[in-house]
Amino acid sequence: MAARIAVRRPRAAGDDPVDSTGRVSLLELRGLGKRYGAVTALDGVSLAVAAGDFVTLLGPSGCGKTTLLKIIAGFVEASAGDVLLEGRRLNDVPAHRRGIGIVFQNYALFPHMTVAQNVAFGPRMWRVPRPDVRQRVEEALALVKLEGFAERLPAELSGGQQQRVALARVLAVKPRVVLLDEPFGALDKNLRLDMQMELKKLLRALSITALFVTHDQEEALTMSDRIAVMERGRFVQVGSPIEIYDAPASSFVATFIGTSNLLPAAVAPDGRGVLLGGGLLLRVAPGASQAAEPVRVVIRPENLSVQRERAADAWPGVVTVALPLGASTVYEVELAQGLAVRASEPRVLDHGLLAPGEKVFVRVVNPDACRVFAPNP
Ligand code: ATP
């Protein structure tokens, strides 16, 4: 768990905004909207973020993630709504007085300045008194483990080291909140993993609250205390990674986080479950949908088991693809009438893999873990 800081404010008990877990919030967004001419980039976004939390904004390109960060940072003015930090409205506070730092993907270090000069740029922008700047630079470079690099130029650093300098530049201003817009987008996978771990440790140690933007759902699942899934300028679900994964609020969320089988179906006339293509029965509660209504069913691949032996309620099929991933194997199985599903089987030592062309039976391990949605929720 991330470290928490108690937030004290001169307000009556019970007045404090709280986040969805009941904790007092440090950062609060209230009904934020943004229009660029005819384009609605944000539409009524509200969120309460507790001190020390790591919240990730996840959503497709153009859904408004960067616009939201820019409004919080003070680079873009909202068309509607408020940003509050410790209960104080920030809308009219200039960016450098907000106590909020921002790190972009294209971290834009100044090529002609040394690492130390680049890091000093942050505190200078924030009008930190000159004598303090040097100490802040030293501290920030120590935090990102670049003590020996102060006099190098950015061109003399690796991509990961440059990203650390960008982070140090923000940490040197000692922000309460840091906004990170795809900060690892330019890094290769291994470096990205290292940086993710380093960043989480660092923010936790410093009790810095973070709002993080990524396109990478794995990164969102591993890094976040909470994820806010965005679609067309709105939050469609906010919850812990596991809540979002296990109980997606819509088929959009289900397909955006993790791999899913999203299958067209219809509620069985006798209400026993839903019928997939070819009349395959899945014994699952049909939600609010009525008998014979079309629905879409989401089944996670790990909730499907592929076996050679017939089992109760199992569907017959033929393996079309077998992808060994080491600890597990992903199978694509064609069920009746061209309906295909993906299943992820944990590998059992001494058991051979199923081969493409083999006849198999696919069983839903836990029907209650499947989700049923109206066709266009
Ligand atoms: P990406 O993941 O591709 O970076 P995003 O979710 O960060 O996307 P934004 O950059 O916030 O999305 O853009 C949201 C919407 O607002 C998009 O439709 C975009 O075209 C539009 N938009 C963003 N900035 C401007 C601008 N300065 N003028 C006009 N439209 C803009």
Side-chain angles (χ1 to χ4, degrees), residues 70-205:
K70 285 183 177 168
I71 289 173
I72 298 169
F75 298 149
V76 164
E77 203 177 328
S79 314
D82 294 316
V83 178
L84 294 99
L85 189 68
E86 294 191 286
R88 179 177 165 230
R89 194 168 169 274
L90 289 186
N91 299 41
D92 302 321
V93 178
H96 67 273
R97 297 244 166 89
R98 291 192 174 199
I100 294 177
I102 188 159
V103 183
F104 291 105
Q105 175 181 346
N106 50 352
Y107 29 85
L109 300 178
F110 299 109
H112 57 285
M113 287 188 191
T114 64
V115 165
Q117 287 165 341
N118 266 285
V119 176
F121 183 79
R124 289 220 171 102
M125 282 287 289
W126 287 44
R127 316 219 170 127
V128 170
R130 263 178 188 273
D132 296 345
V133 171
R134 180 187 292 230
Q135 190 190 345
R136 295 246 191 142
V137 169
E138 281 173 15
E139 282 170 7
L141 286 178
L143 281 169
V144 299
K145 302 198 184 83
L146 283 178
E147 292 103 325
F149 294 75
E151 297 313 316
R152 291 216 198 164
L153 291 171
E156 296 164 345
L157 301 176
S158 72
Q161 288 164 342
Q162 290 181 34
Q163 185 54 279
R164 279 165 203 260
V165 176
L167 198 56
R169 184 162 69 185
V170 169
L171 295 178
V173 300
K174 301 195 174 166
R176 301 292 313 273
V177 176
V178 65
L179 310 174
L180 301 131
D181 196 351
E182 301 220 44
F184 311 133
L187 306 181
D188 69 36
K189 194 165 178 181
N190 283 342
L191 198 50
R192 206 178 161 109
L193 273 174
D194 287 349
M195 285 297 294
Q196 285 171 1
M197 295 215 234
E198 289 298 325
L199 178 70
K200 267 223 89 157
K201 274 196 265 174
L202 204 55
L203 296 182
R204 191 172 291 176

Side-chain angles (χ1 to χ4, degrees), residues 84-365:
L84 294 99
L85 189 68
E86 294 191 286
R88 179 177 165 230
R89 194 168 169 274
L90 289 186
N91 299 41
D92 302 321
V93 178
H96 67 273
R97 297 244 166 89
R98 291 192 174 199
I100 294 177
I102 188 159
V103 183
F104 291 105
Q105 175 181 346
N106 50 352
Y107 29 85
L109 300 178
F110 299 109
H112 57 285
M113 287 188 191
T114 64
V115 165
Q117 287 165 341
N118 266 285
V119 176
F121 183 79
R124 289 220 171 102
M125 282 287 289
W126 287 44
R127 316 219 170 127
V128 170
R130 263 178 188 273
D132 296 345
V133 171
R134 180 187 292 230
Q135 190 190 345
R136 295 246 191 142
V137 169
E138 281 173 15
E139 282 170 7
L141 286 178
L143 281 169
V144 299
K145 302 198 184 83
L146 283 178
E147 292 103 325
F149 294 75
E151 297 313 316
R152 291 216 198 164
L153 291 171
E156 296 164 345
L157 301 176
S158 72
Q161 288 164 342
Q162 290 181 34
Q163 185 54 279
R164 279 165 203 260
V165 176
L167 198 56
R169 184 162 69 185
V170 169
L171 295 178
V173 300
K174 301 195 174 166
R176 301 292 313 273
V177 176
V178 65
L179 310 174
L180 301 131
D181 196 351
E182 301 220 44
F184 311 133
L187 306 181
D188 69 36
K189 194 165 178 181
N190 283 342
L191 198 50
R192 206 178 161 109
L193 273 174
D194 287 349
M195 285 297 294
Q196 285 171 1
M197 295 215 234
E198 289 298 325
L199 178 70
K200 267 223 89 157
K201 274 196 265 174
L202 204 55
L203 296 182
R204 191 172 291 176
L206 300 174
S207 291
I208 294 177
T209 304
L211 236 70
F212 182 78
V213 162
T214 182
H215 276 109
D216 180 336
Q217 44 158 301
E218 259 181 46
E219 194 166 82
L221 286 168
T222 53
M223 299 281 286
S224 322
D225 296 311
R226 285 193 299 154
I227 297 175
V229 184
M230 293 184 75
E231 186 184 16
R232 281 176 274 157
R234 292 170 181 240
F235 286 166
V236 287
Q237 189 170 8
V238 181
S240 71
I242 208 72
E243 278 165 4
I244 303 245
Y245 187 83
D246 284 350
S250 66
S251 51
F252 168 81
V253 177
T255 48
F256 208 78
I257 304 234
T259 321
S260 288
N261 293 290
L262 182 62
L263 308 172
V267 178
D270 56 8
R272 281 182 304 153
V274 300
L275 295 170
L276 307 176
L280 301 175
L281 176 67
L282 171 61
R283 292 183 193 277
V284 60
S289 300
Q290 304 296 314
E293 268 184 358
V295 288
R296 292 205 284 179
V297 183
V298 171
I299 312 176
R300 298 289 187 195
E302 65 272 23
N303 196 17
L304 289 174
S305 169
V306 186
Q307 305 293 336
R308 292 194 176 99
E309 301 78 31
R310 182 185 288 275
D313 288 335
W315 307 317
V318 176
V319 174
T320 49
V321 178
L323 287 179
L325 300 179
S328 64
T329 307
V330 171
Y331 292 108
E332 193 171 281
V333 179
E334 193 167 308
L335 303 170
Q337 295 198 345
L339 180 71
V341 288
R342 265 189 198 177
S344 170
E345 275 286 337
R347 182 154 160 254
V348 181
L349 290 178
D350 303 331
H351 278 213
L353 297 186
L354 298 163
E358 269 198 68
K359 290 191 176 159
V360 290
F361 293 91
V362 176
R363 186 174 65 82
V364 176
V365 179

Side-chain angles (χ1 to χ4, degrees), residues 36 39 41 59-68 182 215:
Y36 291 107
V39 176
S61 183
C63 71
K65 304 178 294 291
T66 301
T67 301
L68 182 54
E182 301 220 44
H215 276 109

